[in-house]
Amino acid sequence: MSNTNAPRGFSPSDFLSGTEPNFGLTRGLMAYNASATYKGDPLKLVSGKVAVATVTGNSGAAVAGIADSFSWVSIAQNRRVWQQFYPGSDSQGNADVEVLYNAHPNALFDVQVNAGNAAQADVGSFFNFATGAGNTYSGLSGFSLDYSTKNASQGTLPFVLYQILGAPGTDPTSAYNIVRVGFATQTKI
């Protein structure tokens, strides 16, 4: 069976200790942004506020957390909105958008590999993310794990691979398989 190339961002799974993912979400502000942001997008800190992380490739960047949900006063709906994605350019008065995100340093996330397939030998390697367009219907991110950035040394790569996930739902031997990762570098708030 081959896997479908359908990334859904970084989805919380559990902690390094094996406990359930009842994450205490961190509350932050995202500066008014014309760009959409989705549940599962990696976030970075910019001038004390969170923003979608965009540095891809082998350079990497520290990640502050993974977006979970958003709240803002909507121009289009003329009321406060809570949902899994922020559509961009919809905050009244260009006000900041409230963001809840997963920032626990021991959090683990399930994510799709973007090209190639991660193998058991890759466990412990470091990776960056690949950007992708989110889905406004589901509110989920289009980010994935960038397999081409695999490195045995951490450097500035933000994620470390902990586990290759198997069936049901993913073939661990085919391209676009699903893996479990954790933070390798993290910006503290």
Side-chain angles (χ1 to χ4, degrees), residues 26-111:
T26 302
R27 185 179 308 268
L29 291 178
M30 181 172 69
Y32 171 78
N33 190 340
S35 301
T37 309
Y38 298 86
K39 179 177 185 160
D41 282 355
L43 301 173
K44 64 180 180 177
L45 278 179
V46 177
S47 302
K49 296 184 180 180
V50 294
V52 175
T54 56
V55 177
T56 58
N58 287 320
S59 57
V63 171
I66 303 296
D68 183 76
S69 60
F70 305 85
S71 174
W72 71 98
V73 178
S74 169
I75 295 169
Q77 299 180 42
N78 202 28
R79 65 177 178 87
R80 178 157 292 280
V81 174
W82 293 268
Q83 62 187 33
Q84 289 190 122
F85 75 97
Y86 171 67
S89 301
D90 188 40
S91 179
Q92 281 196 2
N94 297 339
D96 291 341
V97 175
E98 185 175 297
V99 182
L100 293 178
Y101 60 98
N102 297 306
H104 195 285
N106 294 325
L108 296 176
F109 302 90
D110 295 348
V111 63

Side-chain angles (χ1 to χ4, degrees), residues 176-189:
Y176 310 115
N177 58 337
I178 307 293
V179 297
R180 187 159 290 156
V181 299
F183 294 120
T185 61
Q186 187 179 33
T187 303
K188 302 294 184 221
I189 296 190

